[in-house]
Amino acid sequence: MRFLHHNSLGLAFLAAFLLALAGQAVAGHAEFNNQLIADGLVPVSFGAYVTSSDFAVDVTENWQSEYLQFFLYIFATVWLLQRGSPESKELHKAGVESDKDQLVGEHAREDSPRWATVKGWRGTLYSRSLGLVMGAIFLLSWLAQSVAGVASHNEQQLRGLQAPTSWPEYLSSAEFWSRTLQNWQSELLAIGSMAVLAIYLRQRGSPESKPVGAAHTATGVEG
């Protein structure tokens, strides 16, 4: 029970993710087969659908936009500020901050991560590891989206007895950028809205909100 209590946030979102992914697979399979039947083709099994490029491109295009959101936000909030928002650092802390503030090197504590206590490339890498990993996952997801997308696109081309498209051609196509940008714009709007709305609105008990009684101008304060 202690493990569940101490890890309830991550476990709850993992369970919700798996349920949503399963629901997407079921609904996507039904929609895909409806389209095949409308085109006069034979429906596919559930297993064939979830291992298809059509399912892969739908999943990865959402993953890449989510990780892009976090990657940009992690790096942007190092330097960019929003007065009154708990999503922003305090106004005088723009930048990478001092070693003392970040508890690195000789300022590290006994319980600090080991790589936070050393200088050189290991300390530099660890001090930027969160953003780098988020950026790497974004790029890999975007690559997977493009590979699955061109495979899905070419399947549709072959069904219509049309010539397949090469990967470089697909990367410059309207379909690829339409899929990409429709996710990017929604993620950027959501995260910008969160930063601004949290200036004036509150959620009692949430670390994503300021304390209910905090002033609208209070910046970098979490409840």
Side-chain angles (χ1 to χ4, degrees):
M1 291 303 296
R2 172 176 289 187
F3 174 81
L4 293 177
H5 177 68
H6 288 180
N7 298 278
S8 57
L9 182 62
L11 292 172
F13 273 95
L14 175 61
F17 160 71
L18 294 174
L19 288 172
L21 185 63
Q24 178 186 354
V26 172
H29 177 235
E31 180 185 14
F32 186 71
N33 277 341
N34 288 340
Q35 186 60 51
L36 289 179
I37 293 171
D39 293 339
L41 300 173
V42 179
V44 300
S45 67
F46 181 75
Y49 172 72
V50 296
T51 56
S52 71
S53 58
D54 290 87
F55 181 66
V57 70
D58 287 340
V59 171
T60 54
E61 75 176 50
N62 287 291
W63 287 4
Q64 59 90 3
S65 64
E66 296 293 342
Y67 281 101
L68 173 67
Q69 172 191 154
F70 286 113
F71 166 69
L72 291 178
Y73 201 64
I74 288 166
F75 277 103
T77 51
V78 174
W79 299 99
L80 304 181
L81 307 169
Q82 181 63 56
R83 183 173 183 266
S85 177
E87 299 296 314
S88 166
K89 294 195 295 185
E90 296 177 65
L91 300 179
H92 64 282
K93 290 186 177 181
V96 295
E97 303 180 23
S98 67
D99 287 354
K100 182 178 181 180
D101 289 333
Q102 289 292 309
L103 304 176
V104 298
E106 62 271 21
H107 303 287
R109 301 182 303 200
E110 290 185 3
D111 58 352
S112 295
R114 185 167 59 88
W115 277 29
T117 66
V118 298
K119 294 186 177 181
W121 69 269
R122 288 183 299 171
T124 300
L125 179 64
Y126 186 71
S127 67
R128 293 162 175 79
S129 56
L130 180 60
L132 291 174
V133 168
M134 289 292 186
I137 297 175
F138 157 66
L139 291 175
L140 290 173
S141 300
W142 201 17
L143 174 62
Q145 177 198 339
S146 70
V147 172
V150 71
S152 175
H153 175 77
N154 283 336
E155 286 180 8
Q156 296 176 14
Q157 290 287 95
L158 292 174
R159 288 180 204 144
L161 303 179
Q162 297 177 329
T165 301
S166 68
W167 185 61
E169 290 173 336
Y170 181 72
L171 289 182
S172 61
S173 69
E175 177 182 331
F176 175 72
W177 284 103
S178 176
R179 280 182 173 272
T180 296
L181 293 173
Q182 69 178 340
N183 285 285
W184 287 7
Q185 56 86 14
S186 62
E187 300 301 335
L188 295 172
L189 174 64
I191 202 164
S193 299
M194 177 64 184
V196 174
L197 291 175
I199 298 173
Y200 305 103
L201 306 179
R202 308 286 188 269
Q203 184 61 53
R204 184 168 183 163
S206 175
E208 298 303 314
S209 166
K210 293 187 287 189
V212 177
H216 291 327
T217 55
T219 306
V221 178
E222 296 179 343

